[in-house]
Amino acid sequence: MSKGLPKRSENYSEWYNEIVKRADLAENSAVRGCMVIKPYGFAIWEKMQRALDDMFKATGHQNAYFPLFVPRSFLEKEEEHAEGFAKECAVVTHYRLKADGEGGLMVDPNAKLEEELIIRPTSETVIWNAYKNWIQSWRDLPILVNQWANVVRWEMRTRIFLRTAEFLWQEGHTAHATEKEAIAETEQMLDIYADFAENWMALPVIKGMKTPNERFAGAVETYCIEGLMQDGKALQCGTSHFLGQNFAKSFDVKFVNKENQLEYAWATSWGVSTRLMGALIMAHSDDNGLVLPPKLAPIQVVIVPIYKSPEDLAAISEKVEPIVKELKAAGISVKFDDSDNQRSGWKFAEYELRGVPIRLGLGMRDLENGTIEVARRDTLTKESMPIDGVAESVKILLDKIQASVYQRALEFRDTNTFPVDDWDEFCDRVEKGGFVLAHWDGTSETEEQIKEKTKATIRCIPLNAPVEDGKCILTGNASDKRVLFAKAY
RNA sequence: CGGGGCGUAGCACAGCCUGGUAGUGCGCACGGUUUGGGACCGUGAGGCCGCAAGUUCGAAUCUUGCCGCCCCGACCA
């Protein structure tokens, strides 16, 4: 029904861009590669933040804030880290402008910084520089800190939410006394991300480990969650890194253990970003617009009156008022759209486009019959039910929708996940899209060759992969478990 | 950074080839008729035609340069 929204089947990326625009989530800004997140889109992000933040706090983490600027010398300290991020850094070289004499401004050449400041692409280095002063004894550990911040990675090509030059995220940075504890932390945070993806975003994800090629620059091990989008491409939805003692060594962060010996601290870092907004859109939405899981919907229920005269509207409003009250009391966000500048049909389409999970329609016929129309966004079905007790039904229905949106995504992923043992089939499968589980001989060379030939990358080595004898899909060399291949965003 | 497309009203676009009063649709404002799936009629407001230089009596239109955006690739969360 939507006017002019492209079909997913015809042009997936245009469909995506249009949804972002038309559902009023975000827009491209005047600044290249950067987005403006609009109030409706930001409201979804805030719900994500809230849920995640609660989970972080529940596991003992605290929020803090570190600077936007990273001195160049900090970034240089961890070699692999430096190399990994060098190509995508914005650099501040001056601290002052001056009039150019033509009514404009120019960089004041006399205000050159002694040392350039990098706009953080991530904060390991500033944070570990600070931790050096925070950590002396084993009693200072663990440090469990998270920050909500913006970061900048100068990307060649950007796509709103999925890859922007500036994005919002959270980055957790923890320090531990033992390797074991740091690994446990890394795994715990991965579990939290998976839990969040599945229970809040209604997006099933595969937990796994990155191959050395795909590993975070400076990490010993990178864990990730991978989701499958409706076009068959994979999207990395969160990462959790075990950093070993790499940053502790680079920044000389030592502590005295119980035996009075000096040891380097063990580190983790983990993050999810506004990219999750992209995942949310691409996982569930349809040709009518956005589909939001109720738990992340800024408006969970919209009530649309259908009326002819102001008297009708007054009568409907009177009936709606207690429903609104009851829903609000139950913690459900509800909007009664009694605006008179659009007609009901327009509103139906508009709220569908915006992904509001439940729409209640109430007209004069309903008032006579004591009924109300309940429409589900996810299935696009509607039914008439008694107006008495509707708040209770809505509460139950929201949970049902949350579950069924997840179920649909899960079925999609399962029917698009293929174990493959034959090279030709592998190429064919990858081309068509979806997750492909295949054997790999464990070498970077093979991984790169496969990428070159098929565009597929190893998304992860799934944590739950069963051990089985097999042969590498490309080389035929021995392999003991399947890894997850896909074309990725 | 390569390849392709495009900059004209808030948005989507036509006009450009062949130089001569800047247009259409949506949206917006006002009035009226409508109202159970994106209503209709009337009136009206809204423009430095991306920027700069050139050609010309005259440039949205021709020439050159610049800037920006989108799509497809290589790089990445």
Side-chain angles (χ1 to χ4, degrees):
Chain A
M1 280 309 132
S2 62
K3 265 188 190 163
L5 194 63
K7 303 255 174 294
R8 280 169 297 177
S9 53
E10 286 165 13
N11 190 338
Y12 195 82
S13 58
E14 205 181 310
W15 166 83
Y16 174 83
N17 290 337
E18 278 299 309
I19 286 213
V20 169
K21 238 190 288 180
R22 302 269 296 273
D24 218 21
L25 301 177
E27 60 191 29
N28 282 303
S29 72
V31 184
R32 184 193 177 86
C34 297
M35 61 183 160
V36 174
I37 304 176
K38 298 183 78 177
Y40 189 64
F42 203 79
I44 298 172
W45 176 240
E46 283 178 314
K47 286 206 146 197
M48 292 184 172
Q49 279 187 300
R50 168 64 72 90
L52 286 162
D53 204 61
D54 286 348
M55 289 165 134
F56 299 157
K57 302 272 171 63
T59 42
H61 301 84
Q62 291 179 299
N63 285 329
Y65 187 78
F66 296 86
L68 171 68
F69 302 117
V70 182
R72 193 192 61 202
S73 58
F74 284 20
L75 203 65
E76 286 166 355
K77 285 193 177 172
E78 214 289 335
E79 204 178 328
E80 277 188 27
H81 187 70
E83 213 175 290
F85 283 104
K87 323 186 275 303
E88 46 186 356
C89 287
V91 184
V92 179
T93 54
H94 292 75
Y95 58 86
R96 194 165 61 209
L97 299 171
K98 63 175 191 178
D100 66 359
E102 291 167 27
L105 291 170
M106 62 179 285
V107 172
D108 185 342
N110 295 321
K112 195 164 159 47
L113 290 168
E114 294 250 323
E115 180 182 355
E116 297 91 339
L117 293 171
I118 317 300
I119 305 198
R120 64 180 164 218
T122 179
S123 301
E124 275 77 5
T125 58
V126 234
I127 288 179
W128 276 82
N129 180 72
Y131 282 0
K132 179 180 165 62
N133 300 321
W134 296 10
I135 298 169
Q136 273 111 49
S137 150
W138 65 274
R139 293 179 192 276
D140 297 324
L141 297 170
I143 291 176
L144 304 174
V145 162
N146 174 66
Q147 82 165 341
W148 290 95
N150 58 339
V151 286
V152 168
R153 296 182 186 174
W154 211 264
E155 299 290 347
M156 302 258 188
R157 215 183 120 216
T158 58
R159 282 192 74 191
I160 224 159
F161 289 128
L162 296 174
R163 187 177 306 113
T164 44
E166 179 193 19
F167 57 90
L168 306 184
W169 76 346
Q170 58 67 217
E171 46 180 327
H173 294 273
T174 67
H176 305 264
T178 66
E179 175 177 30
K180 197 175 151 202
E181 193 184 301
I183 291 174
E185 166 78 4
T186 313
E187 288 171 350
Q188 171 185 246
M189 298 324 288
L190 186 77
D191 288 342
I192 283 178
Y193 288 155
D195 181 8
F196 172 77
E198 296 186 350
N199 291 311
W200 289 79
M201 296 177 64
L203 176 67
V205 290
I206 305 272
K207 291 190 277 189
M209 265 192 289
K210 286 295 188 191
T211 62
N213 272 351
E214 304 269 332
R215 200 178 278 155
F216 175 77
V220 173
E221 203 71 81
T222 288
Y223 295 67
C224 65
I225 51 171
E226 294 283 330
L228 184 63
M229 303 297 107
Q230 291 183 69
D231 62 346
K233 284 167 90 173
L235 183 73
Q236 180 174 306
C237 294
T239 51
S240 183
H241 315 290
F242 169 58
L243 303 172
Q245 294 173 308
N246 292 348
F247 286 89
K249 284 177 180 165
S250 302
F251 287 86
D252 194 34
V253 183
K254 288 184 222 166
F255 67 96
V256 178
N257 67 17
K258 289 179 191 175
E259 284 78 43
N260 197 32
Q261 291 162 328
L262 273 180
E263 271 189 69
Y264 287 112
W266 298 84
T268 83
S269 68
W270 27 273
V272 296
S273 71
T274 37
R275 170 177 259 201
L276 289 180
M277 295 285 295
L280 194 64
I281 296 161
M282 290 198 293
H284 306 308
S285 302
D286 62 23
D287 291 347
N288 292 299
L290 200 58
V291 174
L292 292 173
K295 283 164 103 171
L296 292 178
I299 301 167
Q300 294 170 305
V301 180
V302 65
I303 306 176
V304 177
I306 299 140
Y307 63 96
K308 295 185 179 154
S309 66
E311 292 74 32
D312 289 356
L313 177 60
I316 292 166
S317 299
E318 196 181 324
K319 204 75 185 167
V320 164
E321 203 180 318
I323 301 174
V324 169
K325 252 191 201 153
E326 202 178 329
L327 287 173
K328 280 189 176 160
I332 293 165
S333 59
V334 52
K335 174 176 174 176
F336 175 41
D337 187 352
D338 60 353
S339 62
D340 61 357
N341 54 340
Q342 297 297 166
R343 306 180 358 145
S344 51
W346 189 92
K347 292 177 186 175
F348 293 170
E350 182 65 12
Y351 290 109
E352 263 161 30
L353 192 55
R354 286 171 166 253
V356 176
I358 295 179
R359 183 188 70 238
L360 301 179
L362 195 64
M364 296 314 285
R365 231 157 49 208
D366 288 305
L367 289 196
E368 280 164 31
N369 302 334
T371 56
I372 191 163
E373 186 184 80
V374 180
R376 278 177 69 159
R377 174 62 185 92
D378 63 328
T379 55
L380 292 170
T381 53
K382 46 188 182 182
E383 61 175 314
S384 194
M385 57 169 64
I387 195 161
D388 293 326
V390 69
E392 192 55 36
S393 313
V394 161
K395 263 192 279 182
I396 294 166
L397 185 56
L398 284 171
D399 288 341
K400 207 166 146 188
I401 292 173
Q402 180 79 30
S404 103
V405 169
Y406 174 77
Q407 200 55 38
R408 190 162 63 179
L410 182 63
E411 274 161 30
F412 175 83
R413 188 196 68 188
D414 288 348
T415 55
N416 286 284
T417 301
F418 310 94
V420 168
D421 294 307
D422 172 77
W423 174 252
D424 289 338
E425 195 189 340
F426 179 87
C427 297
D428 185 51
R429 215 49 267 182
V430 162
E431 178 60 33
K432 286 181 183 151
F435 281 158
V436 178
L437 288 163
H439 282 279
W440 165 59
D441 65 15
T443 68
S444 290
E445 297 73 53
T446 302
E447 185 182 6
E448 260 154 35
Q449 276 183 45
I450 292 174
K451 184 178 175 184
E452 220 165 277
K453 289 179 201 286
T454 67
K455 303 240 165 84
T457 49
I458 298 178
R459 301 320 304 152
C460 68
I461 304 160
L463 294 184
N464 62 359
V467 173
E468 60 175 44
D469 284 335
K471 286 179 179 164
C472 174
I473 194 78
L474 183 72
T475 63
N477 294 336
S479 150
D480 66 353
K481 57 177 168 302
R482 291 173 187 272
V483 300
L484 187 69
F485 285 92
K487 284 201 276 194
Y489 275 97

